[in-house]
Amino acid sequence: MTTDPDCIFCKIIAGEAPAAVVARDEAAIAFMDVNPITPGHLLVVPCDHHVSFGTIPGAILSHMMLTAQWLAAALQASPIRTEGINLWLADGAAAGQEVWHAHLHVIPRWSGDGLRISALRGARPGGDELEQHAATIRAAAAD
Ligand code: 5GP
Ligand code: ZN
């Protein structure tokens, strides 16, 4: 198991720091966010220490996503107010990552819950620009 002694999520996984754990297995753990955006806010975390989304092995990433789906259903079946769900993954400081052990947020949502995700979108780019970006990304994509 890959671990970082200075990482708070590794400490939780090792049982060296407290957390309200909902589920865990060999690959991933799910626990309550200590400072929830809405009640029921969960984090799904790989047991191995991966800083970034990009280095999580595919099988573990798939397992994290299936765990998030399963927990979303549990939230919806529970008395915790859940009219919708947002999944959120912050990869990198510019994206808002604050804990450097990759994790997937599962956030119960309801109309009027106060969470705002705002964006300053400009005008729609022309089709040429979209095609150019698609070609640039295709060229950069690893096989
Ligand atoms: P990020 O911005 O990195 O995606 O989010 C980190 C999340 O981890 C935040 O929502 C924060 O409240 C949560 N968090 C930070 N430290 C702890 C901790 O020690 N225990 C738990 N349960 N959650 C934490
Ligand atoms: Zn860690």
Side-chain angles (χ1 to χ4, degrees):
M1 173 130 81
T2 320
T3 189
D4 176 340
D6 297 325
C7 169
I8 183 59
F9 286 180
C10 284
K11 286 181 182 159
I12 289 171
I13 289 157
E16 293 163 4
V21 175
V22 176
R24 83 167 289 168
D25 59 24
E26 300 266 294
I29 184 170
F31 51 81
M32 308 312 299
D33 193 297
V34 77
N35 188 14
I37 291 174
T38 55
H41 178 175
L42 289 157
L43 302 173
V44 179
V45 183
C47 291
D48 278 329
H49 181 82
H50 294 284
V51 170
S52 170
F53 167 66
T55 62
I56 304 172
I60 294 185
L61 192 57
S62 305
H63 181 65
M64 288 168 62
M65 190 54 90
L66 289 171
T67 301
Q69 185 188 46
W70 174 65
L71 292 169
L75 282 165
Q76 275 158 337
S78 82
I80 294 174
R81 191 169 180 192
T82 309
E83 294 170 9
I85 299 274
N86 274 124
L87 301 183
W88 175 259
L89 193 152
D91 190 39
Q97 185 172 3
E98 291 182 351
V99 173
W100 300 97
H101 181 138
H103 51 278
L104 180 61
H105 297 253
V106 181
I107 307 168
R109 298 298 313 275
W110 67 88
S111 164
D113 62 20
L115 172 55
R116 298 268 173 283
I117 301 171
S118 65
L120 295 173
R121 296 196 213 204
R124 284 189 184 207
D128 285 356
E129 190 178 331
L130 296 179
E131 286 300 340
Q132 270 176 18
H133 285 161
T136 301
I137 295 163
R138 271 198 305 274
D143 288 333

